Amino acid sequence: MGSSTLSIGFFFAFMALTLGITYWAARRTRTTEHFFAAGGQVTPWQNGWALAGDFLSAAALLGIAGIVTSNGFDGMIYSIGWLVGWPIILFLIVEPLRNVGRFTFADVVAYRLRQRPVRVAGAVGTLAVILFYLIAQMVATGSLIKLLFGLPYTWSVVVVGSVMLVYVLFGGMLATTWVQVVKAALLMGGGILLAFLVLTHFDMNPLKLFAAASEKYGTKVLQPGSKVVSGQWDAISLGLGLMFGTAAMPHVLMRAYTVKDAKARGCRSSMPPADRRVSSHGLHHRLWRHGPGRRRRGGQGRRWRQHGRAPARAHRRRQRVLRLHLRGRVRDHARRRRRADAVGRRHALSRRLDQCDPERRRFRGRAAQGRARRNRRDFHVRHHAWHCLRRPERRLHGGPRVLDRLRRELPLARALDHLAPLHAPAAVASILVGTLSSLVLIYLSPTIQVDILGKPLAAIEHQWWFVSLRNPAIISMPLSFAVAILLSLVTREKNANLAFDEMQRRILLGPVQPTTSESARAKSAA
Amino acid sequence: MDRVIPGNAGLAPNGVALARKLAKTRLTVALVLSVTMIVIYFGFMALFAFDKPLLGTILMPGLSLCIVLGPLVIISSFVLCLVYVLWANRVLDAGIRDLR
């Protein structure tokens, strides 16, 4: 009676506290940004605790304790596997994710690939993961409620589900964050307290605890067994799933967006639109450095090399030649081209961002303008080239210039193709193949066929479809990567490489203030 | 014909090369640390999968090899995270500040 009343009291106190937090958070949530990412207002420490809360589910405290109790050391495999996923998240995923996307990983994939199919595939993958993750959580919590209150199991699950929905729907990310902080503090406090209380029985010496356990249950408790994972490759596969699965948990990844990042903000504010002009010069310099001078024959090239300032000289010389010999239309063309170049680049960036960001969709009209401008600019270049070929006096100077451009840019295009060959169909297929193959393989594995459907192992062992692995990661992960690589080699996507450079830059420096439209919006909001 | 590459927006001309170098360094550090973690963890898992008797060696009463190695894997993950965070705070952030 006593302990049951105590646990029911704790339960209601926790519910009251968390629902109070939800109410408080719901009153503070105003915008989409607030709802999905807590307005980016969570401090790193809070976020760290919230991550710990996300991660330390009941499974960490009760589940692993249970596995260790019943199977000895094997239970540790789970806790180790979950933990080693974290460094992978930190090293490879969080920073690029935080700097490129806005709310979810799909933002990142959709950043440089065709938006709609990639997002749909991302949603399918995420929902599949969340669904199966949630099933386990709901079953566990439902059983717990049933144990505490004696409610029928079905109703326990319904109650738990509704409370979860209240947290998320009303409180958004802010409430979820604080509920997780409370949960993490309680779980860690409880865990440490329990460990301390247990150790007081053994002179605070874990070795004595282990020795006592092995005395009572045999040394098997301290040795790896084969109850949790039976097969050899199954164990490796479980390891893959634990390490890289943790690194792909949607609810963990989305925490990357709730932190306010002073660094990113600093980058953003120091990125005035005026810099764009400088930057286009930077691009040209880079192109020039690889381009002329070296390939020219005769004394000029040698002199440039001696002086070591070929690019600037080439630039100036080209400008002078243009001014002297190609007055009138060609000069106008050049000027218009430069202007169009800058405008087009700005619009390409803006269009890319429009595609990524649902909130910016309404600027699509501007994007169309950008496309039109780019078409016009391309027309100018083609027009110019045609004139150069047709009129000998222009062929002399303009022709080499256009051809030079072509020669300079083609290797760059090829290099980009090598660097960034992922295309939308490949990304979509890879996500879907990964998700579906995992589901199908689990369905065909003994976990479902024998443990749940109750078929005798001997009867299905020789079927062609039988998969002996209980953990599918070792098959589905390479399969998914292989599909992505193969399809990327086969298909072509027109614009996939355009945003790759920008994405690389963002990964390093954080988001830019992209167009005047957004700064205008920010101003009007202020 | 005319590829639009908005990759250098906001950087000074010499910043492009610096940024590329910094990006490359970041990727290298991240990859080296990840590979270290993967090697440590899958080394442990390979022992678990293929050589259980070795992992089950009892070193002293109440202590088997796996009970030593398991927590060591966890500690190594903390240490690697610490290395990355220290490196990022000292080198990467300073480099990014210099770019601005």
Side-chain angles (χ1 to χ4, degrees):
Chain A
M1 154 80 197
S3 73
S4 161
T5 322
L6 189 67
S7 35
I8 290 176
F10 257 123
F11 178 80
F12 277 112
F14 184 71
M15 290 296 281
L17 178 64
T18 50
L19 285 175
I21 290 173
T22 307
Y23 176 72
W24 165 80
R27 287 179 38 155
R28 288 176 47 125
T29 299
R30 302 257 180 279
T31 61
T32 324
E33 187 92 48
H34 274 126
F35 188 80
F36 284 115
Q41 294 297 307
V42 180
T43 64
W45 273 101
Q46 290 163 357
N47 207 46
W49 276 96
L51 264 171
D54 272 330
F55 181 64
L56 284 168
S57 51
L61 194 63
L62 301 178
I64 290 182
I67 306 179
V68 171
T69 309
S70 56
N71 296 318
F73 171 79
D74 287 10
M76 286 285 286
I77 291 298
Y78 276 91
S79 57
I80 294 172
W82 277 329
L83 264 168
V84 293
W86 287 100
I88 301 295
I89 302 181
L90 175 68
F91 303 152
L92 297 182
I93 299 175
V94 159
E95 243 176 85
L97 196 75
R98 170 69 177 76
N99 284 343
V100 177
R102 270 167 62 82
F103 299 123
T104 62
F105 95 93
D107 293 340
V108 179
V109 190
Y111 187 82
R112 68 191 183 93
L113 300 177
R114 267 205 310 284
Q115 159 114 331
R116 203 158 293 165
V118 170
R119 275 191 191 279
V120 170
V124 170
T126 305
L127 284 178
V129 172
I130 289 287
L131 187 68
F132 285 91
Y133 193 70
L134 260 187
I135 287 176
Q137 303 251 342
M138 300 274 278
V139 166
T141 331
S143 314
L144 216 62
I145 300 280
K146 182 183 158 197
L147 207 67
L148 267 180
F149 297 101
L151 271 177
Y153 175 71
T154 319
W155 283 107
S156 319
V157 172
V158 169
V159 167
V160 170
S162 331
V163 176
M164 278 180 177
L165 280 180
V166 167
Y167 289 148
V168 176
L169 285 183
F170 293 102
M173 202 59 183
L174 190 61
T176 318
T177 301
W178 279 105
V179 169
Q180 296 293 1
V181 171
V182 172
K183 186 179 117 187
L186 281 177
L187 275 174
M188 286 178 87
I192 291 171
L193 183 67
L194 278 177
F196 177 77
L197 290 179
V198 167
L199 282 179
T200 49
H201 288 276
F202 296 93
D203 306 334
M204 304 308 283
N205 185 355
L207 289 183
K208 280 193 180 169
L209 167 66
F210 295 143
S214 67
E215 231 169 70
K216 188 161 183 186
Y217 300 103
T219 45
K220 278 264 166 238
V221 182
L222 305 181
Q223 290 166 332
S226 49
K227 269 198 232 160
V228 173
V229 240
S230 45
Q232 298 182 326
W233 289 105
D234 220 3
I236 300 291
S237 187
L238 174 69
L240 275 175
L242 285 175
M243 184 182 222
F244 296 105
T246 308
M249 295 272 225
H251 67 286
V252 170
L253 292 188
M254 69 196 282
R255 285 253 167 253
Y257 297 110
T258 55
V259 191
K260 172 170 61 182
D261 189 355
K263 196 173 69 189
R265 192 148 297 193
C267 294
R268 219 175 299 151
S269 57
S270 66
M271 203 75 79
D275 266 1
R276 222 156 283 287
R277 214 169 50 79
V278 181
S279 72
S280 69
H281 272 290
L283 176 73
H284 288 164
H285 272 289
R286 199 181 53 182
L287 289 175
W288 269 319
R289 213 167 293 152
H290 300 302
R294 214 171 298 166
R295 287 186 195 152
R296 305 221 166 190
R297 275 169 279 155
Q300 287 268 270
R302 261 205 308 280
R303 210 168 69 220
W304 287 340
R305 273 202 299 278
Q306 280 163 2
H307 287 278
R309 290 184 47 126
R313 274 166 187 261
H315 185 180
R316 277 207 298 279
R317 179 177 171 277
R318 200 170 281 122
Q319 294 286 321
R320 201 172 62 234
V321 166
L322 272 176
R323 267 201 306 277
L324 287 177
H325 295 281
L326 307 171
R327 284 164 200 243
R329 285 178 61 193
V330 173
R331 189 181 56 192
D332 284 348
H333 272 164
R335 187 187 295 154
R336 240 177 294 164
R337 241 198 60 71
R338 267 202 303 279
R339 199 186 306 140
D341 219 24
V343 171
R345 190 170 293 125
R346 197 156 60 228
H347 279 284
L349 182 61
S350 135
R351 184 173 62 108
R352 200 33 70 172
L353 291 166
D354 281 343
Q355 285 175 348
C356 289
D357 185 348
E359 270 191 278
R360 289 170 50 91
R361 288 256 172 79
R362 57 206 167 96
F363 292 111
R364 264 191 178 166
R366 292 181 57 100
Q369 276 176 31
R371 213 155 30 236
R373 273 176 215 240
R374 262 210 323 282
N375 286 343
R376 209 174 70 200
R377 191 197 49 206
D378 281 354
F379 166 76
H380 278 305
V381 174
R382 252 175 263 134
H383 185 71
H384 187 182
W386 186 67
H387 270 283
C388 289
L389 293 175
R390 210 178 56 144
R391 297 195 185 173
E393 79 275 12
R394 285 187 186 162
R395 191 196 299 159
L396 192 64
H397 299 287
R401 182 163 174 262
V402 172
L403 291 178
D404 238 25
R405 261 194 93 85
L406 274 177
R407 209 173 53 216
R408 282 196 304 265
E409 290 187 1
L410 279 178
L412 188 70
R414 274 207 297 279
L416 280 178
D417 274 334
H418 280 296
L419 264 177
L422 183 69
H423 299 133
V428 170
S430 162
I431 294 172
L432 293 182
V433 163
T435 311
L436 286 179
S437 66
S438 317
L439 292 180
V440 169
L441 286 172
I442 290 174
Y443 182 75
L444 299 179
S445 74
T447 311
I448 300 285
Q449 297 293 330
V450 177
D451 299 355
I452 292 179
L453 298 181
K455 294 180 189 168
L457 185 63
I460 55 169
E461 219 168 11
H462 303 294
Q463 299 284 343
W464 61 268
W465 47 260
F466 180 71
V467 184
S468 61
L469 289 175
R470 282 167 186 265
N471 301 285
I474 203 167
I475 300 177
S476 63
M477 251 177 76
L479 190 68
S480 168
F481 275 114
V483 165
I485 293 169
L486 281 179
L487 273 182
S488 285
L489 289 177
V490 173
T491 58
R492 282 280 162 269
E493 184 166 0
K494 224 167 108 193
N495 294 324
N497 293 331
L498 290 189
F500 184 76
D501 244 20
E502 167 63 9
M503 196 161 110
Q504 290 298 311
R505 201 196 59 72
R506 268 194 172 213
I507 285 174
L508 192 66
L509 301 173
V512 219
Q513 193 169 24
T515 53
T516 41
S517 62
E518 198 176 75
S519 56
R521 207 150 51 102
K523 252 179 233 161
S524 68
Chain B
M1 170 177 251
D2 194 24
R3 299 177 70 90
V4 177
I5 303 156
N8 328 303
L11 290 181
N14 68 337
V16 175
L18 282 178
R20 283 189 178 255
K21 208 175 145 210
L22 198 59
K24 212 174 159 189
T25 319
R26 197 199 79 86
L27 194 66
T28 314
V29 169
L31 284 179
V32 165
L33 289 173
S34 304
V35 168
T36 315
M37 189 69 252
I38 288 169
V39 166
I40 291 174
Y41 178 58
F42 283 100
F44 177 76
M45 283 308 279
L47 275 183
F48 180 79
F50 300 108
D51 201 350
K52 286 209 171 88
L54 175 67
L55 209 54
T57 316
I58 302 287
L59 300 174
M60 55 189 279
L63 193 67
S64 61
L65 190 62
C66 59
I67 288 184
V68 178
L69 289 184
L72 274 184
V73 173
I74 295 179
I75 291 170
S76 73
S77 83
F78 278 113
V79 170
L80 288 177
C81 282
L82 201 68
V83 167
Y84 180 80
V85 169
L86 285 179
W87 175 81
N89 285 350
R90 296 214 176 136
V91 183
L92 184 67
D93 280 0
I96 288 173
R97 229 176 295 122
D98 290 344
L99 275 180
R100 302 276 105 224

